[in-house]
Every structure is written in structure tokens, then in C-alpha cells.
């Protein structure tokens, strides 16, 4: 029963987390957003003490059930390990391997050093929750969106607008390649020996593995019943059971229950440390029943709500082909309102891509810079940061983007607009424009004569940098190619 309950809870958890990264309507977060916030590393970076204490207590009581029930990357490895064997229709055959402690703690030391020094790209590369987010957002999300667009086209043919199409575009080639390489590595390691990545590379697995050495409930041998058949070792995806010495490395055990199910002699139990298997059989069963009820109670709280779709349609009028905007080279990259500063973003972001997926205006995309690789940066080629939207601050689980209200966002200056004289249409083509002034939400742009006191001269924009918040409406809606106005970022955000 232990393995069956674990699989049910794991299936519910990975389904909810996958929907967080696939949903483009913004409704999934209202139901499942808490699943992102109970991930270990985001909770540490967000200084969510309650979650950290709860996960540590959970590990000290039950062992590393976080890795097999809550962590999406661990659950995904279990699925990858099962698929080839299901196809070949034969039982799994793992083998025991000793712990590589030097590698585990060496990677953990490098990971902590990267966090302290702000090397966000290395942190993002190893963070398990972030790796899962990149795989889903970069590899699975395009397929999901293309399927949605197909349904939208079919529905529109029958005069139904139950579905609506969305743009599918490449946001970052380095992030896509990183996600593909991570998935390939995990698939190979999971196929060869199950939880190799979790027990040798993953820093979260190493921390929880240290705590699980002292857990109360563990997988234990009954030496009188064991026949040394080796089935427990062959079914242990963590490679932590040595049937020859009847020992279990609890720092690597993820309490999946496969060993208990495979034992035909009842020689393995999930029990308290001093429980005598022959004399306290009913008490052990009672404890197991209590644990099962607790697991089922957790599963019962994970309810799935009805997904509502927001109707959204982009049109250009069909009058003429619109030339795509070029990516602007900024001296200082833009970070989202709520991130406080580029340094704060660099130190707290794990590059999970949840904010990038949640952005309804196509403003956020993964950075291609080596130091901040896969962390979100802003660009206004496909949209602008609307003052009434705070979606990214609502979904960030790591505290890299702090929650803000629309009022706070309207008063936060993330950058300022810069006018490029040589590209402005009134001067290059002799036509009136004023697009930037009309669409500026803060009134920071005014049209003035290009020749002082000559109101017959072409009107050009003048930017009041004290009022500009850097939303990018002017840059996005500027008809000039290349753009005649763009937003330069600020290292630290300012209140206006």
C-alpha cells in the first residue's frame, strides 16, 4: 500500500505542477500556486521559514518522501525509468552502488558558493524544480499550445470561441538547448540506474539526504525472514539497498516502497527504529495504517478546479504586413517590477520560467547572458508591461519578484525612455506621429517642435525621465524601424 499511495500522491503533484507551466489563462495558479511555494529551494530563497521547517520536520519523521512525492523532477525521473521497461515488458533490475559522498557534498558546496556569490546561471542549472520548469516550458509547452491552436481553429470553423489561439515563439535558444540537454541527461541516468541524478548531483537531495539519516520511520530488514533473494536490491531505484549485508543507506532512500512490494517473505518494513518486528506486529500495522490515512488526507486536499479560459484575440486589422521589431541592445537589462534590482533578481531567481510562462504580454523571456542565463529579462518587441498587470509577482515562488499591487507598480521606475533622433519618423519621413505620447500611461512624453518656438516644424517627443516608469508602451508601439524610442534599464528600481 505504501508504494500505491506514494504513486497516487506523486501523480497528483506532478499533474498540478505541470499545469502551472502549461496554463496560459492565468487560472491554474489560483488553484495550484501553493505547489510551487512548497518546493524546497524556492522556499529557502524566499525565506519562507514555515515551509522550510515543515519540509525538514517531514524528512526527519518520514525520510525523503519530499523527493518521491513533492519534487516534480524526482517524479519525472521515476516515469522515465519506468517507460522503457514497460515497453519491454520485463521487471526492473537495479543494483546496489556505494554512496559517492565526495561528489554529493562537493556539488553542494559549489552550489552554496554560487548562491552566495550571485552566479545565478549555475544555481538555475542544478535547481531541481527549475530544471523541471524549463523542460515543461521549453519542450512540452509548445506542443500544448499548438494543440490548443488546432482546437481553436476547429472551433472557429464551427462559429465557436470556446478556445482561442495564442502565439508560439522561441523565447531563448540557449534556454531551449539547456532544457533539451537536461532532459536527455535525466533520461539516460534514469534508464541506467533510477535516481542517480537525485543521489549524486541534486543539492536539495543532498541536504534532505543528510536529514533523512536521522529519520524516525525507515525501511528496515527483519534478518530472520530475509532469504537473500536480492529482489529488494533489484527494485531499488535509489541503489541504496545491499541485500548481502542487509543494510539500507537512508540518506539516499526516497521511501518509494518498491522494495517492500517486491519482498515475498515480508523481510522489509517501514517502521520506527526500536520496533521489534516479531513482538509488535499489530503496533507496526497500526502505525502503517495511520501513515496511510495521513497520506490520503493530504491527497484529499489536492482538489482540481474547473479551468476557465480568458478570451483574448490579437488583430492587426489585416491592412498590411507589419515588420517585426528588432531586439534592442540595452546597456542595462530590464528586470520586472517587484524585483527591486538586478542584483536582487540575480541572487534569488532560480530560472524556473514560471514568470515567463505566466506573462500575458510576452514581455518576459529568459536571459542569454552567461551570468544570468535563464533568468527573466524584459523586451518590448511583442508587447509592453501593462501597469495593471502584476502576474509575474504573483507566481514567483522564490521571492525574486516580490508581490506588488497595481498602485505600487504604477509608481515603480524600472527604467526610462530614450529618444533616438535619427530614427524618428517626423524627421526622417516628414510625417506627423505622436504614437509614443498618445500611449504613455504616465504622461511622461510630450510632443514639442523640432525647432524651438516654431510650431510649424515637425513635432518630436520629449521624455520627462522623472515621470517615466519604463513600461515600454512607447517602444512597443513606435512605428519606426529600427525603433525611435526605447527603454534603458536601471540597476536599482526607484519609487516615483
Amino acid at each position: 500500500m505504501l508504494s500505491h499511495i506514494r504513486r497516487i500522491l506523486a501523480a497528483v503533484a506532478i499533474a498540478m505542477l505541470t499545469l502551472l507551466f502549461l496554463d496560459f489563462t492565468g487560472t491554474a495558479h489560483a488553484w495550484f500556486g501553493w505547489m510551487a511555494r512548497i518546493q524546497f529551494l524556492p522556499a529557502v530563497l524566499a525565506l519562507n521559514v514555515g515551509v522550510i521547517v515543515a519540509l525538514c520536520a517531514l524528512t526527519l519523521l518520514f525520510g525523503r518522501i519530499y523527493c518521491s512525492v513533492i519534487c516534480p523532477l524526482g517524479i519525472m525521473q521515476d516515469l522515465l525509468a519506468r517507460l522503457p521497461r514497460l515497453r519491454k515488458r520485463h521487471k526492473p533490475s537495479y543494483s546496489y552502488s556505494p554512496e559517492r559522498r565526495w561528489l554529493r557534498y562537493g556539488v553542494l558546496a559549489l552550489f552554496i558558493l554560487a548562491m552566495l556569490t550571485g552566479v545565478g546561471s549555475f544555481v538555475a542549472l542544478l535547481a531541481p524544480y527549475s530544471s523541471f520548469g524549463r523542460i515543461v516550458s521549453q519542450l512540452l509547452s509548445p506542443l500544448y499550445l499548438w494543440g490548443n491552436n488546432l482546437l481553436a481553429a476547429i472551433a472557429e470553423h464551427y462559429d465557436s470561441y470556446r478556445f482561442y489561439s495564442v502565439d508560439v515563439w522561441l523565447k531563448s535558444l540557449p534556454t531551449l538547448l539547456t532544457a533539451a540537454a537536461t532532459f536527455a541527461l535525466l533520461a539516460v541516468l534514469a534508464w541506467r540506474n533510477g535516481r542517480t541524478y537525485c543521489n549524486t548531483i541534486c543539492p536539495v537531495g543532498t541536504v534532505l539526504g543528510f536529514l533523512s539519516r536521522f529519520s524516525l520511520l525507515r525501511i528496515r530488514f527483519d534478518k530472520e525472514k530475509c532469504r537473500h533473494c536480492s529482489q529488494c536490491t533489484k527494485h531499488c531505484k535509489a541503489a541504496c539497498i545491499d541485500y548481502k549485508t542487509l543494510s539500507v543507506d537512508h540518506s539516499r532512500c526516497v521511501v518509494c516502497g518498491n522494495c517492500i512490494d517486491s519482498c515475498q517473505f515480508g523481510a522489509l518494513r517501514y517502521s520506527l527504529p526500536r520496533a521489534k518486528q516479531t513482538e509488535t506486529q499489530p503496533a507496526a500495522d497500526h502505525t502503517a495504517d495511520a501513515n496511510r490515512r495521513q497520506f490520503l488526507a493530504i491527497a484529499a486536499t489536492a482538489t482540481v478546479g474547473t479551468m476557465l479560459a480568458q478570451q483574448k484575440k490579437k488583430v492587426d486589422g489585416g491592412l498590411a504586413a507589419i515588420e517585426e521589431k528588432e531586439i534592442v541592445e540595452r546597456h542595462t537589462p530590464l528586470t520586472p517590477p517587484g524585483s527591486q534590482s538586478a542584483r536582487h533578481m540575480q541572487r534569488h531567481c532560480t530560472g524556473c520560467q514560471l514568470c515567463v510562462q505566466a506573462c500575458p504580454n510576452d514581455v518576459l523571456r529568459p536571459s542569454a547572458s552567461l551570468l544570468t542565463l535563464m533568468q527573466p529579462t524584459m523586451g518590448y518587441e511583442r508587447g509592453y508591461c501593462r501597469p495593471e498587470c502584476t502576474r509575474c509577482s504573483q507566481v514567483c515562488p522564490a521571492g525574486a519578484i516580490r508581490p506588488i499591487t497595481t498602485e505600487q507598480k504604477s509608481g515603480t521606475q524600472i527604467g526610462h525612455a530614450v529618444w533616438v533622433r535619427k530614427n524618428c519618423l517626423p524627421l526622417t519621413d516628414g510625417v506627423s506621429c505622436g504614437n509614443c505620447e498618445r500611449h504613455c500611461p504616465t504622461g511622461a512624453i510630450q510632443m514639442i517642435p523640432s525647432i524651438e518656438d516654431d510650431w510649424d516644424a515637425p513635432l518630436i517627443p520629449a521624455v520627462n525621465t522623472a515621470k517615466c516608469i519604463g513600461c515600454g508602451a512607447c517602444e512597443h508601439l513606435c512605428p519606426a524601424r529600427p525603433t525611435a524610442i526605447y527603454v534603458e534599464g536601471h540597476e536599482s528600481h526607484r519609487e516615483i
Side-chain angles (χ1 to χ4, degrees), residues 113-161:
L113 181 63
M115 289 178 61
L116 295 176
T117 56
V119 185
S121 54
F122 187 77
V123 174
L125 193 63
L126 294 184
Y129 166 73
S130 302
S131 297
F132 174 80
R134 286 192 298 272
I135 291 172
V136 174
S137 63
Q138 299 296 317
L139 304 181
L140 185 58
S141 180
L143 301 177
Y144 180 81
L145 296 179
W146 282 327
N148 170 81
N149 292 347
L150 177 61
L151 293 176
I154 295 173
E156 187 175 359
H157 178 74
Y158 291 100
D159 296 326
S160 172
Y161 296 94

Side-chain angles (χ1 to χ4, degrees), residues 68-89:
S68 57
V69 175
I70 301 176
C71 177
L73 196 70
I75 301 170
M76 188 183 73
Q77 290 177 76
D78 291 345
L79 296 175
L80 292 173
R82 287 177 62 86
L83 290 177
R85 293 177 172 85
L86 289 175
R87 187 177 68 250
K88 294 179 181 179
R89 296 182 181 180

Side-chain angles (χ1 to χ4, degrees), residues 472-491:
C474 56
E475 178 183 327
H476 173 64
L477 297 168
C478 178
R481 300 292 187 271
T483 185
I485 193 167
Y486 72 96
V487 178
E488 187 63 51
H490 290 166
E491 284 287 347

